Amino acid sequence: MKYLVGLFLLLVPIALTAQTQPTVPEAEQFMKQAEERVNDYGIKAARAAWVQENFITDDTEALSADANDQVTAVITELAEQSKRFDGLTLPPDLARKFLLLRLSLTAPAPKDPKLRKELTQIASSLDADYGKGKYCRKPNDCLDITAIERVMTTSRNPEELKDLWVGWHRVGAPMRDRYARFVDLSNQGAREMGFKDTGVMWRSGYDMPPDAFSADLERLWNQVRPLYLSLHTYVRARLSQHYGAALVPPNGPIPADLLGNPWAQEWGNVFPLLGLPENTRGYDLTELLKAKKLDAKEMVRYGERFYTSLGFAPLPATFWERSLFTKPADRDVVCHASAWDLDNKEDLRVKMCIQINDVDFVTIHHELGHNMYQRAYEDQPPLFQNGANDGFHEAIGDTIALAITPEYLQKVGLLDKVPSADADIPLLLKQALDRVAFLPFGLLIDQWRWKVFSGEVKPADYNKAWWELRLKYQGVAPPVARSEADFDPGAKYHVASNTPYIRYFLAHMLEFQFYRALCQASGYTGPLHRCTFYGSKEAGAKFNAMLALGQSKPWPDALEALTGTRQIDGNALLEYFAPLQKWLDEQNKRQKMGW
């Protein structure tokens, strides 16, 4: 989910005294002056971005591009000025601030003002194109991405699903040439900052060398890959039974349009097709929410009450006044759910086009996790007002979402009776369809971008490389032939908006580590997948202690503060899904694994 944090991006040029031998006091003064100006400029740029995503017009797009251009210019200049202090032995906190300053742009720009402006205009136009994107089945039947997702959630008509998939993916094709130019400009900016390319710059933000980070990702993936293969094999077999072997080959990849959403990134919507008897979960959360006749705002209240039960303060009144909860009927907005902090203090907001269903109920808990994290580190210096790494920021809300168990739903009055242990497998399967199925997708998005930034993947092969990675990691394939006339990566919001994506893969690992630690802090001792720490002030206090660190320490320090360990690890995830893994192995005895 996109969110605005660390408004330290919005620094302004600071004059330096010309000396051949810089001193530590001068470095401290440089950083002090920079951080003093953060909030004023941050509010202006954040507001421009908020307006642009909530009122998509040519004018707001231009205003947002101008604001981003100013920010990029300032950061570029400050990064250049900061080189004066290279080689100077600095106190650890100050040295960390200088590093974070240089890493603070996801789209580093060339020093040349004309090229810099071109980059920011391209970035704004790609984001706006996605937000305005529609597929018109007929002249008077045009669907935006929210409407397309809604249909693909429940449709079992393969022709309709294919049509919607192809229709939405047309949004990417017009972005292709601009995206290639964006890559060139961003790489030039990264090189001028001292990085080999933008991908190397992104991978430098994880408190380890970029190559070591890439290797660690493969280690994590190989830990959980056997569970993914078991899930893929089971789902493919059931979809092949439902749609026929001609559409879903029993030994091949799964068509991307048949997995319940436009990107095949999470598969929870195909749960009804997987052969389990009706109502084996014991309840339907969407129906429970509708039975309560909830509106969008009350859905958000449930999320807020989870956090307050842990001891977090309620959201400010301005949150309820300024957030966007439902899609306006009179204008285009970027509906992709996001959490915002516009002033590094109390102006917290969410932007969602909420539907009354189980997916958005979970998403709300996730987005509020960003807001709670933002507020927890508000007293840190501006350069430390961010997650320990970007995976931490995503993992916070996902950790809470794991605690949306039947026990929790009963405690808050949504469920009358907790299902027996017989319902555990369906519940775990539903969780795995969203969380385990997502893992390879979360890994490959930036694998593709890093190859693009490095030049290993040339513009002439953008789509070819995209589908090669999707086949390698996910075992999914497009429903129709694709060519380089298409630009399917652009049909994914995070590519169009230049939002790094590996954070989501990391988050899906970290959330289980966080969850297990919070369950232990609450005193829970049963099967991990049945734990909810709702109402535990002990768990909340431990959680908040980690959140309050922000980015002031290397992420292993923050991880250790909550979990007692310093390495991201898949064992907590495997422990959570252990009963499901055993069950899947039984179901797959006569099935071929892989594709």
Side-chain angles (χ1 to χ4, degrees):
M1 311 293 173
K2 183 181 178 183
Y3 55 92
L4 291 185
V5 295
L7 293 176
F8 55 81
L9 303 185
L10 312 161
L11 308 179
V12 294
I14 295 170
L16 295 176
T17 304
Q19 292 183 6
T20 56
Q21 297 296 328
T23 65
V24 171
E26 285 179 340
E28 290 173 340
Q29 184 64 17
F30 171 85
M31 195 56 68
K32 180 176 182 293
Q33 291 178 3
E35 292 196 305
E36 284 175 351
R37 295 173 180 256
V38 166
N39 284 336
D40 288 344
Y41 286 86
I43 290 169
K44 293 176 184 177
R47 283 180 176 164
W50 175 267
V51 171
Q52 187 265 326
E53 291 211 0
N54 284 279
F55 301 87
I56 301 175
T57 68
D58 291 342
D59 293 328
T60 60
E61 184 180 327
L63 290 170
S64 181
D66 286 344
N68 287 332
D69 181 61
Q70 293 174 22
V71 170
T72 304
V74 167
I75 290 294
T76 302
E77 184 173 348
L78 278 172
E80 184 66 24
Q81 290 177 351
S82 73
K83 292 178 182 178
R84 179 168 179 260
F85 302 102
D86 287 353
L88 187 64
T89 301
L90 301 172
D93 282 0
L94 185 58
R96 185 167 181 78
K97 287 182 181 181
F98 273 90
L99 172 65
L100 294 174
L101 172 63
R102 295 184 187 183
L103 293 173
S104 57
L105 290 176
T106 57
K111 298 175 190 175
D112 184 316
K114 182 178 179 181
L115 296 179
R116 185 189 69 239
K117 191 173 185 65
E118 182 184 0
L119 179 141
T120 55
Q121 288 175 335
I122 290 173
S124 185
S125 72
L126 293 173
D127 184 78
D129 279 5
Y130 186 96
K132 293 183 291 189
K134 290 182 175 64
Y135 166 51
C136 296
R137 296 190 283 193
K138 298 176 182 177
N140 295 317
D141 182 20
C142 293
L143 306 176
D144 62 13
I145 187 57
T146 301
I148 289 171
E149 284 187 87
R150 186 162 50 242
V151 176
M152 294 188 77
T153 293
T154 56
S155 176
R156 307 303 179 214
N157 180 335
E159 288 304 314
E160 180 180 42
L161 290 169
K162 180 170 69 174
D163 179 65
L164 290 171
W165 189 96
V166 172
W168 174 248
H169 279 72
R170 288 176 187 150
V171 75
M175 302 179 189
R176 186 188 182 96
D177 291 342
R178 276 174 294 153
Y179 188 81
R181 178 60 175 162
F182 173 85
V183 168
D184 289 341
L185 293 169
S186 181
N187 275 341
Q188 182 176 335
R191 287 192 296 270
E192 290 175 3
M193 285 190 178
F195 299 94
K196 185 178 179 181
D197 58 61
T198 300
V200 170
M201 183 175 174
W202 285 8
R203 297 196 301 280
S204 298
Y206 294 94
D207 296 305
M208 63 175 69
D211 289 346
F213 178 63
S214 296
D216 210 41
L217 293 174
E218 286 299 315
R219 173 187 65 82
L220 290 167
W221 168 237
N222 286 324
Q223 268 191 295
V224 298
R225 184 172 181 270
L227 175 58
Y228 176 78
L229 286 176
S230 294
L231 181 68
H232 181 282
T233 301
Y234 176 76
V235 170
R236 178 181 60 192
R238 297 307 180 273
L239 292 181
S240 185
Q241 289 175 3
H242 180 81
Y243 289 112
L247 274 183
V248 184
N251 296 324
I254 301 173
D257 58 327
L258 299 180
L259 286 163
N261 67 72
W263 310 279
Q265 66 182 55
E266 294 164 332
W267 305 349
N269 291 326
V270 303
F271 177 86
L273 303 183
L274 300 186
L276 295 172
E278 286 295 321
N279 297 320
T280 49
R281 286 192 295 159
Y283 66 92
D284 183 320
L285 180 53
T286 297
E287 293 305 316
L288 294 176
L289 296 169
K290 290 180 177 178
K292 288 285 187 181
K293 302 189 184 305
L294 302 181
D295 61 12
K297 191 172 285 191
E298 185 55 30
M299 289 265 285
V300 181
R301 291 283 186 190
Y302 274 96
E304 180 191 39
R305 288 193 288 270
F306 196 115
Y307 290 94
T308 57
S309 84
L310 302 178
F312 290 86
L315 291 160
T318 53
F319 172 90
W320 303 101
E321 297 163 0
R322 299 171 183 173
S323 291
L324 179 77
F325 298 119
T326 56
K327 188 180 189 308
D330 61 344
R331 65 180 192 269
D332 289 322
V333 301
V334 176
C335 270
H336 189 89
S338 53
W340 300 63
D341 177 5
L342 273 75
D343 66 355
N344 279 354
K345 291 294 180 185
E346 283 292 307
D347 196 353
L348 305 172
R349 309 180 190 182
V350 295
K351 179 181 60 59
M352 290 183 64
C353 302
I354 294 173
Q355 302 176 62
I356 310 304
N357 60 38
D358 54 353
V359 173
D360 280 7
F361 188 75
V362 172
T363 299
I364 286 163
H365 286 70
H366 171 98
E367 294 303 332
L368 294 187
H370 290 308
N371 290 143
M372 296 300 172
Y373 205 171
Q374 289 159 346
R375 188 163 59 183
Y377 56 57
E378 67 180 18
D379 292 330
Q380 291 284 354
L383 278 166
F384 294 156
Q385 291 181 350
N386 207 336
N389 67 38
D390 52 9
F392 274 64
H393 231 298
E394 297 300 332
I396 301 308
D398 282 346
T399 299
I400 302 299
L402 283 174
I404 302 176
T405 61
E407 288 80 0
Y408 162 65
L409 297 176
Q410 184 189 45
K411 287 181 178 181
V412 298
L414 286 172
L415 187 62
D416 292 331
K417 182 182 178 182
V418 175
S420 69
D422 296 341
D424 282 3
I425 291 302
L427 286 167
L428 284 169
L429 179 59
K430 185 65 164 62
Q431 284 278 40
L433 291 170
D434 287 336
R435 299 181 186 280
V436 177
F438 175 83
L439 290 169
F441 187 81
L443 184 63
L444 70 86
I445 300 292
D446 280 353
Q447 297 278 14
W448 177 82
R449 276 193 289 204
W450 296 340
K451 290 175 184 291
V452 167
F453 284 130
S454 73
E456 181 180 343
V457 172
K458 303 288 193 281
D461 294 318
Y462 276 173
N463 233 41
K464 176 174 177 281
W466 173 260
W467 285 107
E468 285 175 348
L469 285 169
R470 297 203 66 179
L471 180 64
K472 174 185 175 181
Y473 284 104
Q474 274 190 292
V476 303
V480 298
R482 310 305 284 165
S483 75
E484 296 306 324
D486 304 301
F487 182 56
D488 294 329
K492 178 60 182 166
Y493 170 75
H494 299 77
V495 175
S497 67
N498 193 49
T499 302
Y501 207 75
I502 203 66
R503 62 184 61 171
Y504 301 104
F505 175 80
L506 293 174
H508 277 55
M509 295 292 189
L510 285 166
E511 68 193 62
F512 289 92
Q513 286 182 270
F514 293 171
Y515 174 71
R516 183 168 62 183
L518 292 171
C519 288
Q520 291 168 350
S522 73
Y524 179 80
T525 58
L528 184 57
H529 63 275
R530 279 185 160 251
C531 166
T532 185
F533 44 83
Y534 174 81
S536 172
K537 298 296 192 294
E538 294 80 8
K542 195 166 187 179
F543 207 18
N544 192 61
M546 182 188 76
L547 302 185
L549 291 174
Q551 204 171 13
S552 64
K553 304 292 182 185
W555 66 259
D557 292 357
L559 181 62
E560 187 176 29
L562 179 60
T563 69
T565 61
R566 297 182 60 82
Q567 185 181 57
I568 302 175
D569 185 75
N571 282 325
L573 181 150
L574 296 176
E575 178 186 343
Y576 182 95
F577 286 111
L580 178 67
Q581 175 76 74
K582 182 179 179 181
W583 183 84
L584 287 172
D585 290 344
E586 287 293 320
Q587 306 303 308
N588 292 335
K589 278 185 175 178
R590 289 180 290 278
Q591 301 294 332
K592 177 187 174 183
M593 303 279 280
W595 48 87

